[in-house]
Amino acid sequence: MVKVHPFKGIRPTSALAAQVAALPYDVVNSQEAKELAAGNPYSYFHIDKAEIDLPEDISPYDEKVYQKAADNLAAFLKAGWLFKEEQNYFYLYELVMNGRSQTGIVACTSIEDYIDEKIKKHEFTRHEKEIDRMNHIRTCDANTSPIFLSYRPKAEIQQIIKIWQQEHQPVYDFTSYHEVTHRVWVIDQDDTIEKLTKLFTEVEALYIADGHHRTESAVKIGLEKRENGEQNPETEQFLSIIFPEDELAIWEYNRVLKVAPPADFLEQLKENYSVTKSGVKKPKQAGDCQLYDGEAWYTLTIKADKIPNDPVEKLDVALLQKHVFETIFDIQDIRTDKRIDFIGGIRGTAELEKLVDSGDFKLAFSMYPTQMKDLLAVADAKKIMPPKSTWFEPKLLSGLFLHDLETK
């Protein structure tokens, strides 16, 4: 049902992989990228966040930034820090965090599959973010960051992956941010490539776990090249890393509010939640969330008759949005309202306490993580999750794989 393609990967030499690899462009700001890349000329931030090599007052969306990214990519290739394979390969990318392993297949996926909704989404995208990545892809003439995809596991595919890992040595094996181990294998045997390609035609759908803006941008660049007469086999596909859904972990995406609660806040909560001063900082099950007000932690448990059947409306983040943010605080659009912010679960509940205790925020909500089964159900229903519903860890590092949009 879906098409995957081997490709001539652009990637670092084995000796430099750990120094090249960087966090995704959208999880750090320009200053953080500059600090992380300090003293490291090999860092992929010089390509993915090229404003770090330009005057500090420049906008990250200036045309000069995209041109600097392209120039740095060309310089990395010329220096031999990155190289392009001579043959089409698949790759395996394993990440190990806290003893838990996930392994994805690095491949190119089809623009047509996305258009035909065989690659399914669960988020809206913002035009200005699409334009940014389109400019980056267009100027570099490459897919510069992979899309994080998932699929319902297929035993034959998992078996091939397992055997390949057992029988071959990785070309990369290093530990980086948050003590995550990253390993990469090159699948360079034609018969194995053919088997995997065929097996994926039996997979009904792929699901975007993370990277909706990168997907939209890659697809739109491909369509643009069609219109401009620049179409070739590479422009009809985009770089992806595809993981079985049962190996993935979604972390909580917590909420903090700057606005003080009304005097009868707890009483208002009790209309839809049972409220207990529990001291518990992380919810233990779906339907629960924890509230911190600077003095105590409370457990909020949604009342059973308030849980709808709709795959989106029953999500904990949607219930909190409806019954707390909209009803009590009149926060209607969490994308734009400056009174709310979002904290990835990797930062822990101590960060929530710190933000509230500092006085900068008045309330914190510690969420139960959205589950992969929920993500797939929403995507299958062709619906959209509320903003900031999922936070995936570990992060796929950028710079380990690029996809050239030229065939040469």
Side-chain angles (χ1 to χ4, degrees):
M1 296 285 283
V2 299
K3 297 183 287 292
V4 301
H5 307 276
F7 68 105
K8 296 175 182 176
I10 295 175
R11 61 185 184 88
T13 63
S14 296
L16 292 178
Q19 292 164 275
V20 170
L23 288 169
Y25 76 95
D26 54 354
V27 302
V28 295
N29 60 36
S30 300
Q31 184 58 39
E32 289 168 335
K34 189 169 187 175
E35 292 171 1
L36 288 168
N40 180 10
Y42 310 110
S43 172
Y44 193 66
F45 284 130
H46 294 290
I47 295 169
D48 228 12
K49 302 280 286 185
E51 65 268 22
I52 69 174
D53 294 331
L54 295 170
E56 287 191 4
D57 60 350
I58 197 167
S59 164
Y61 309 113
D62 192 292
E63 289 183 9
K64 294 177 183 176
V65 173
Y66 304 113
Q67 188 56 54
K68 185 63 174 176
D71 292 345
N72 285 345
L73 173 55
F76 274 44
L77 286 163
K78 184 176 181 180
W81 302 346
L82 296 177
F83 70 96
K84 183 176 178 179
E85 305 274 18
E86 296 186 358
Q87 302 294 326
N88 290 322
Y89 300 135
F90 287 132
Y91 305 84
L92 299 179
Y93 181 14
E94 180 188 28
L95 301 93
V96 183
M97 183 179 192
N98 299 330
R100 186 184 59 80
S101 169
Q102 62 187 61
T103 301
I105 294 175
V106 187
C108 279
T109 46
S110 166
I111 284 177
E112 283 303 315
D113 280 351
Y114 182 73
I115 294 170
D116 293 342
E117 298 183 334
K118 294 177 185 176
I119 298 176
K120 300 184 179 187
K121 61 184 180 180
H122 66 268
E123 287 183 7
F124 285 127
T125 54
R126 292 167 58 182
H127 181 65
E128 65 271 19
K129 289 191 173 184
E130 289 180 25
I131 294 299
D132 168 50
R133 283 304 96 181
M134 288 177 68
N135 287 336
H136 202 270
I137 295 168
R138 186 188 297 113
T139 309
C140 292
D141 208 21
N143 297 139
T144 48
S145 298
I147 315 302
F148 182 0
L149 298 179
S150 186
Y151 65 103
R152 290 186 172 90
K154 188 174 179 60
E156 296 95 326
I157 295 176
Q158 271 50 74
Q159 185 68 8
I160 289 174
I161 291 172
K162 182 178 179 181
I163 291 173
W164 193 273
Q165 289 175 302
Q166 291 173 344
E167 295 183 352
H168 298 82
Q169 291 297 312
V171 292
Y172 308 148
D173 188 346
F174 62 92
T175 299
S176 188
Y177 307 94
H178 302 299
E179 296 303 308
V180 177
T181 297
H182 303 263
R183 298 188 185 99
V184 169
W185 291 259
V186 181
I187 298 182
D188 54 4
Q189 292 179 0
D190 290 344
D191 60 340
T192 304
I193 292 171
E194 290 170 8
K195 285 178 185 175
L196 286 170
T197 302
K198 183 178 184 301
L199 284 168
F200 268 99
T201 65
E202 301 169 10
V203 172
E204 289 189 6
L206 301 176
Y207 298 82
I208 302 174
D210 196 14
H212 285 76
H213 289 95
R214 277 166 279 167
T215 308
E216 284 281 346
S217 303
V219 169
K220 287 179 177 176
I221 288 293
L223 296 177
E224 179 182 283
K225 287 183 176 289
R226 282 187 193 177
E227 294 176 7
N228 295 341
E230 300 172 354
Q231 179 181 1
N232 67 56
E234 303 306 323
T235 65
E236 291 296 303
Q237 51 198 28
F238 55 90
L239 179 62
S240 301
I241 307 180
I242 314 166
F243 293 86
E245 59 90 8
D246 60 348
E247 293 184 7
L248 299 181
I250 301 177
W251 289 44
E252 62 273 19
Y253 216 150
N254 299 319
R255 277 88 165 114
V256 287
L257 292 185
K258 291 183 177 179
V259 59
D264 63 344
F265 179 49
L266 293 180
E267 290 304 311
Q268 289 193 50
L269 285 175
K270 289 177 183 178
E271 292 185 18
N272 298 292
Y273 292 88
S274 64
V275 181
T276 308
K277 184 188 284 189
S278 62
V280 177
K281 300 180 181 183
K282 295 187 73 169
K284 299 177 182 178
Q285 61 188 5
D288 286 359
C289 72
Q290 311 305 126
L291 165 69
Y292 180 64
D293 65 358
E295 296 182 1
W297 280 95
Y298 297 82
T299 296
L300 312 183
T301 301
I302 192 72
K303 294 180 179 179
D305 63 351
K306 302 295 182 179
I307 304 175
N309 292 323
D310 182 88
V312 174
E313 294 177 4
K314 72 177 184 179
L315 296 173
D316 287 338
V317 289
L319 293 167
L320 190 70
Q321 172 64 26
K322 177 181 178 180
H323 296 305
V324 179
F325 300 151
E326 292 178 9
T327 302
I328 300 177
F329 294 97
D330 193 31
I331 296 175
Q332 304 297 325
D333 186 353
I334 63 174
R335 291 176 183 273
T336 59
D337 199 303
K338 301 301 183 184
R339 294 173 293 170
I340 189 169
D341 206 351
F342 306 89
I343 309 298
I346 191 71
R347 295 167 69 179
T349 56
E351 179 71 10
L352 301 181
E353 292 176 325
K354 175 184 173 183
L355 292 171
V356 174
D357 292 344
S358 72
D360 294 338
F361 292 87
K362 305 302 181 185
L363 298 172
F365 297 85
S366 173
M367 307 301 298
Y368 187 76
T370 302
Q371 302 298 296
M372 277 301 298
K373 62 180 177 60
D374 298 321
L375 185 155
L376 270 56
V378 170
D380 283 337
K382 299 184 179 181
K383 296 198 173 191
I384 300 297
M385 282 188 173
K388 311 296 185 183
S389 293
T390 59
W391 178 278
F392 282 92
E393 289 288 352
K395 298 298 182 189
L396 312 185
L397 296 186
S398 295
L400 297 178
F401 311 98
L402 292 83
H403 168 232
D404 194 348
L405 295 182
E406 295 294 326
T407 56
K408 62 180 183 294

